[in-house]
Amino acid sequence: MQSEIQTMLEAIIQCSEEAISVVDEHGVGLLINPAYTRITGLMEDKVIGKPATADISEGESMHLKVLKTRRPVRGVSMRVGPNKREVIVNVAPIIVNGILKGSVGVIHDVSEIRKLTDELNRARQIIRTLEAKYSFEDIIAQSDEMNIAIEQAKLGAKTPATVLLRGESGTGKELFAHAIHNASDRKFNKFLRVNCAAIAESLLESELFGYEEGAFSGAKRGGKKGLFEEANNGSIFLDEIGELTLNIQAKLLRVLQEREIVRVGGTKPISINVRIITATNVNLEKSISQGRFREDLYYRLNRMPIQIPPLRKRKEDIPSLCNFLIQKMNQDYGRNIEGVSDLAIERLLQYDWPGNVRELENILGRAIIFMKKNETIIDVFHLPELNNRNQIQTQNGQARTTEEIMPLTQMLDAYEKYIIMNAIEKCNGNKTLAASHLQVSVRNLYYKLKKYNLE
């Protein structure tokens, strides 16, 4: 009977998905299971009959500690096996009739735990309200500048005050807007996003404020709710607020002052309760002096200004941003890229990133697309040539020609992208002004911004 029980126990241990090791009262290995070999990389001949320290690459033997103290230990971190696998160990003494017979240890692979945690976090992101996908936990921040902006945004989220997010294109203003909504008491209600520069003025007014039946030719029977009504009790994010016309600015001022809107073609005011979050990469103070932005609206919007720093002023965030963006693109592209080499990181740190995080994502995405299937680390030779604006020409004034020859259409696209980015930067982020200088329509400019992932 005793041998049957022993055989049954051994079978259970062998079938277990948990890594198990058993030693005798002297700390000599008696038994391991296949899961133990899978995690540690050690076969039976390296463990059975050997001291309990045989499997440890970093840390002390918990078997020996338990045998000495006769007390169990739990949740101890160490590294085991030739690959120095990071694990968490639980060990308990085996005491029969008051006599210490040995100890049994259960090993948990930390990498598997982290994988499950990552999957759980991804699931939580999917479950979040579809309108506002991001929280403050999704914002990568090691630098003091970015952490200051996050702390200010967290404070703003707890108040009903209008928030004005200021920063260059590609710094993450929309990410902050999502996070503010999800950290507020409105997080279970709607979050709507409006790009004020991407919608024609004739349409923008009816989109924001709605319209009554018969307000204009083609108006729906019964009229239509505007986005402010749709977002009632929730939040509305007005991106590119500096591009609003003076007419729309006057109507927005009424929303902020009176908490009500009037539909196009209507006369009856409609009360609304909406949290307004705005963003701009335009110098609003300069726009006021030029008569293109209302001063009274500016003071209403600027009660809670938050300046989001450009990437060139928080370069210490680049390694963490790379890891985050690579994980995202692994899912998008079906790849298994593990990271960026030290030399490649050094190259990325030397660049000033006029396109900010959006440009970094573009560069990493381009590198991944052209990597071979067996390559898992982005190295310096995978990166395109990264020249700061003041480094584009050599000392004798000749343009650099060290970049590899690519198809003409690809080179033209790259140059067009550079011209657009340069124009927008010189216009202090004012896309309407940039379009005017480039002699293209605003609609055409936004098409190209979307094409080159610069929007």
Side-chain angles (χ1 to χ4, degrees):
M1 184 65 179
Q2 187 173 355
S3 62
E4 289 181 5
I5 294 174
Q6 183 176 350
T7 302
M8 186 182 299
L9 289 173
E10 288 183 0
I12 292 171
I13 291 172
Q14 293 297 321
C15 293
S16 174
E17 289 295 320
E18 301 286 353
I20 298 173
S21 67
V22 182
V23 302
D24 64 16
E25 67 272 24
H26 302 296
V28 176
L30 291 178
L31 176 69
I32 61 172
N33 65 350
Y36 175 93
T37 298
R38 173 174 56 83
I39 290 177
T40 66
L42 296 171
M43 305 299 289
E44 287 189 351
D45 62 329
K46 300 294 184 182
V47 179
I48 305 302
K50 301 293 193 299
T53 55
D55 59 352
I56 297 172
S57 56
E58 291 181 18
E60 62 174 311
S61 171
M62 290 300 104
H63 277 301
L64 296 181
K65 184 174 181 178
V66 166
L67 292 173
K68 182 178 180 180
T69 63
R70 297 169 68 104
R71 295 178 178 276
V73 294
R74 293 186 178 277
V76 178
S77 297
M78 62 173 58
R79 293 184 181 271
V80 295
N83 295 326
K84 297 186 177 181
R85 183 70 67 90
E86 188 178 356
V87 297
I88 293 175
V89 178
N90 299 327
V91 182
I94 302 172
I95 299 176
V96 180
N97 296 326
I99 300 174
L100 181 66
K101 294 292 186 179
S103 63
V104 57
V106 179
I107 296 174
H108 301 280
D109 187 354
V110 171
S111 63
E112 291 183 0
I113 295 172
R114 285 179 178 160
K115 182 180 178 181
L116 290 172
T117 302
D118 290 341
E119 289 177 0
L120 177 60
N121 288 334
R122 283 196 296 270
R124 284 173 175 166
Q125 287 182 2
I126 293 170
I127 291 170
R128 285 182 196 140
T129 55
L130 295 178
E131 292 88 352
K133 297 179 289 185
Y134 309 109
S135 70
F136 285 113
E137 286 70 30
D138 296 309
I139 301 176
I140 306 300
Q142 305 290 330
S143 62
D144 291 340
E145 292 86 348
M146 198 62 167
N147 279 310
I148 289 171
I150 290 173
E151 289 306 313
Q152 289 176 337
K154 286 180 177 179
L155 287 173
K158 300 303 180 184
T159 73
T162 301
V163 174
L164 175 60
L165 301 168
R166 309 192 68 164
E168 298 174 7
S169 180
T171 51
K173 295 187 292 294
E174 184 171 347
L175 189 64
F176 267 78
H178 284 243
I180 289 169
H181 173 78
N182 275 329
S184 73
D185 57 5
R186 298 173 183 263
K187 62 184 176 182
F188 296 114
N189 296 311
K190 282 192 176 182
F191 173 87
L192 299 183
R193 185 243 187 199
V194 184
N195 188 325
C196 300
I199 305 175
E201 180 188 357
S202 58
L203 295 175
L204 184 59
E205 184 175 358
S206 60
E207 284 295 310
L208 288 176
F209 307 110
Y211 57 81
E212 297 289 357
E213 181 177 341
F216 49 84
S217 177
K220 287 175 60 177
R221 180 175 296 179
K224 179 188 173 184
K225 283 184 177 181
L227 294 174
F228 275 107
E229 287 181 77
E230 290 286 349
N232 198 33
N233 296 320
S235 303
I236 188 167
F237 173 47
L238 303 178
D239 199 4
E240 307 281 9
I241 194 74
E243 303 300 327
L244 289 179
T245 63
L246 291 172
N247 176 47
I248 305 268
Q249 289 177 36
K251 290 179 177 289
L252 179 58
L253 182 62
R254 176 172 181 166
V255 175
L256 291 168
Q257 288 178 335
E258 309 296 336
R259 293 290 171 181
E260 62 184 27
I261 59 102
V262 176
R263 291 183 180 180
V264 175
T267 57
K268 180 183 176 182
I270 301 171
S271 296
I272 57 166
N273 175 21
V274 176
R275 168 67 175 275
I276 298 176
I277 305 170
T278 62
T280 184
N281 55 13
V282 172
N283 186 328
L284 293 181
E285 294 79 8
K286 185 176 181 181
S287 296
I288 291 171
S289 67
Q290 295 172 344
R292 292 189 292 108
F293 202 84
R294 294 179 63 114
E295 190 171 10
D296 48 3
L297 177 60
Y298 169 78
Y299 289 122
R300 283 282 182 176
L301 297 177
N302 203 43
R303 287 185 176 176
M304 186 76 190
I306 297 172
Q307 186 71 42
I308 303 174
L311 187 55
R312 63 181 173 274
K313 292 187 178 179
R314 59 180 187 107
K315 288 186 177 181
E316 57 264 51
D317 291 337
I318 287 177
S320 299
L321 283 167
C322 287
N323 291 331
F324 175 81
L325 294 171
I326 286 170
Q327 289 178 14
K328 175 186 171 184
M329 285 183 278
N330 277 340
Q331 294 178 346
D332 294 341
Y333 300 157
R335 299 295 298 269
N336 190 31
I337 307 301
E338 295 176 2
V340 183
S341 72
D342 291 342
L343 278 176
I345 287 290
E346 186 176 339
R347 172 73 64 83
L348 296 177
L349 291 173
Q350 291 170 355
Y351 186 52
D352 279 344
W353 300 105
N356 294 297
V357 180
R358 190 177 290 122
E359 185 183 7
L360 175 61
E361 182 175 7
N362 184 281
I363 292 295
L364 293 175
R366 177 177 167 183
I368 290 173
I369 288 171
F370 289 104
M371 287 174 70
K372 296 176 182 177
K373 289 294 183 181
N374 62 335
E375 293 177 322
T376 60
I377 298 294
I378 298 176
D379 213 333
V380 68
F381 56 82
H382 292 123
L383 300 175
E385 184 118 356
L386 298 174
N387 289 318
N388 292 321
R389 298 255 158 78
N390 58 352
Q391 297 174 334
I392 289 177
Q393 293 187 332
T394 58
Q395 289 182 349
N396 62 6
Q398 296 296 314
R400 291 176 182 240
T401 57
T402 55
E403 190 168 348
E404 61 177 330
I405 298 175
M406 298 182 295
L408 180 60
T409 55
Q410 192 173 341
M411 295 179 74
L412 288 172
D413 283 348
Y415 190 54
E416 184 177 52
K417 175 184 173 182
Y418 165 74
I419 291 172
I420 291 171
M421 289 168 53
N422 190 40
I424 291 174
E425 184 180 33
K426 286 184 176 179
C427 293
N428 295 316
N430 188 328
K431 296 184 178 66
T432 303
L433 185 60
S436 175
H437 284 299
L438 293 171
Q439 295 187 12
V440 299
S441 67
V442 175
R443 184 179 296 275
N444 192 14
L445 179 61
Y446 269 93
Y447 165 77
K448 292 181 183 295
L449 290 173
K450 185 174 182 181
K451 174 183 177 182
Y452 299 125
N453 198 24
L454 296 173
E455 190 177 15

